[in-house]
Amino acid sequence: MQFVEEIVVDEFLPTIRSLLAGELRERGLTQSDVADVLGISQSAVSKYAHGDVTINERIADDERVSATIEELADGLSTGDVTPVQALIELEVLVRELETGGDLLAQLHEEAVPELADHGASFRVHDPESDLRTSERVVSSLRRGLRILENASGFAGLIPAVGSNLVACTPDAEGIDDVAGVPGRIFDVKGRTTVPAAPEFGVSEHVATVLLAARRHGADASAAINIAYDDDLLAALTERGHVTAEFDEVDDITSSVGAAIDDEPEATVLYQTGGTGIEPLIYVLGADAESVADDVRSLL
């Protein structure tokens, strides 16, 4: 399985960086200058300069790519274009090349020929298609999981039942519309362990909390559960979160709904446990990355 975003990372990005590095060097920028402009190391610039990085010739030969590289090299070398502005221009170019039957779409379909089995009416590279929407959710979830895996100390926030970071599609109605980690995230000898790649329909508990909150008006598309602690709850409040308590002894959907109804601005839900029920905190957010960042800020 290969997402079009992987084509962007593995083929488009190295090609663009190599072309830009070469053009900037031709305009008199030092290796150190190029590294600063592109946000990469000097050793990486050296690899690009010496041809040690494989580029995709089809991308390099595309007229729109060539024109964009020339414009950005001119602007970056004179300071008329900032690195952020250059990034925006390249983002726009990526979206254009992903659309319909364009270059990145073609490369994706060649890498995954099975996409053709969906028929001519299936537009995998339509930004609004169900598959593209699902891709974006899973990609966001992967980035969020990487944040947690690399966050020193996160394992200490994982409850005995395990954590799960979940994210849903914009029109999510059920658990099958929510992606999460199969088997949950566990603390294995002090190390955060994600046992498998994220999938849709594999999280029942955290997904149910997220869906219940959304049905009652919560503006959230992602959530995570962590161990309950008074200090953690206080820290989240200090960071601007609004908290609401619910009673998981009752039906979880009704309980979460009642909590949101009482505190519509809530972005953190919690329950203090009961007989056979572990106390937990649920952090809600716009996407998986922002939720992971919120949790990382507690460490």
Side-chain angles (χ1 to χ4, degrees):
M1 179 183 291
Q2 187 175 35
F3 292 111
V4 68
E5 286 80 2
E6 294 176 76
I7 301 291
V8 174
V9 171
D10 296 339
E11 303 287 341
F12 181 83
L13 185 56
T15 300
I16 290 298
R17 280 178 169 167
S18 182
L19 295 173
L20 257 180
E23 292 293 332
L24 290 170
R25 289 288 278 151
E26 287 184 7
R27 285 162 174 74
L29 272 70
T30 66
Q31 188 168 292
S32 177
D33 291 336
V34 174
D36 288 340
V37 167
L38 298 185
I40 57 179
S41 66
Q42 290 192 47
S43 61
V45 174
S46 178
K47 289 181 180 180
Y48 289 129
H50 290 89
D52 295 335
V53 176
T54 302
I55 69 171
N56 185 301
E57 296 295 344
R58 288 170 64 183
I59 295 174
D61 292 340
D62 187 274
E63 292 182 358
R64 291 159 299 179
V65 171
S66 300
T68 300
I69 292 297
E70 288 287 335
E71 292 175 6
L72 293 182
D74 287 340
L76 289 168
S77 63
T78 61
D80 292 335
V81 173
T82 68
V84 171
Q85 290 170 328
L87 176 61
I88 293 171
E89 290 298 319
L90 289 173
E91 284 279 5
V92 171
L93 179 60
V94 167
R95 302 302 163 237
E96 180 181 348
L97 296 179
E98 283 181 348
T99 304
D102 221 318
L103 179 58
L104 292 178
Q106 292 171 16
L107 293 173
H108 186 210
E109 288 162 4
E110 289 168 13
V112 190
E114 295 84 358
L115 289 173
D117 295 340
H118 288 278
S121 62
F122 180 74
R123 299 181 61 202
V124 64
H125 294 104
D126 179 348
E128 303 305 319
S129 73
D130 290 342
L131 185 55
R132 289 305 307 282
T133 298
S134 297
E135 281 185 19
R136 288 194 291 271
V137 171
V138 171
S139 293
S140 171
L141 195 49
R142 283 176 172 164
R143 290 190 292 271
L145 289 169
R146 283 198 293 271
I147 291 171
L148 296 177
E149 287 181 293
N150 295 324
S152 176
F154 172 67
L157 301 185
I158 299 175
V161 296
S163 286
N164 213 332
L165 177 64
V166 305
C168 67
T169 57
D171 57 353
E173 296 182 356
I175 291 174
D176 287 341
D177 300 317
V178 183
V181 178
R184 301 185 184 180
I185 307 166
F186 285 100
D187 170 8
V188 179
K189 296 182 178 179
R191 181 173 181 175
T192 300
T193 302
V194 179
E199 299 177 18
F200 279 90
V202 297
S203 170
E204 182 174 353
H205 185 80
V206 184
T208 298
V209 171
L210 175 61
L211 290 169
R214 286 170 55 86
R215 290 190 188 111
H216 286 260
D219 185 16
S221 295
I224 190 172
N225 67 315
I226 58 175
Y228 177 87
D229 184 274
D230 288 337
D231 291 339
L232 292 177
L233 206 59
L236 287 165
T237 301
E238 289 177 4
R239 286 167 172 75
H241 287 278
V242 176
T243 65
E245 183 177 5
F246 69 97
D247 183 2
E248 198 174 336
V249 174
D250 299 326
D251 174 68
I252 188 170
T253 299
S254 300
S255 298
V256 170
I260 295 294
D261 288 342
D262 290 340
E263 190 57 78
E265 302 301 317
T267 51
V268 170
L269 303 173
Y270 68 96
Q271 49 89 13
T272 55
T275 304
I277 297 176
E278 185 177 10
L280 296 170
I281 293 173
Y282 301 82
V283 181
L284 311 181
D287 51 50
E289 299 102 311
S290 61
V291 169
D293 277 331
D294 281 337
V295 172
R296 181 172 56 181
S297 71
L298 298 172
L299 302 174

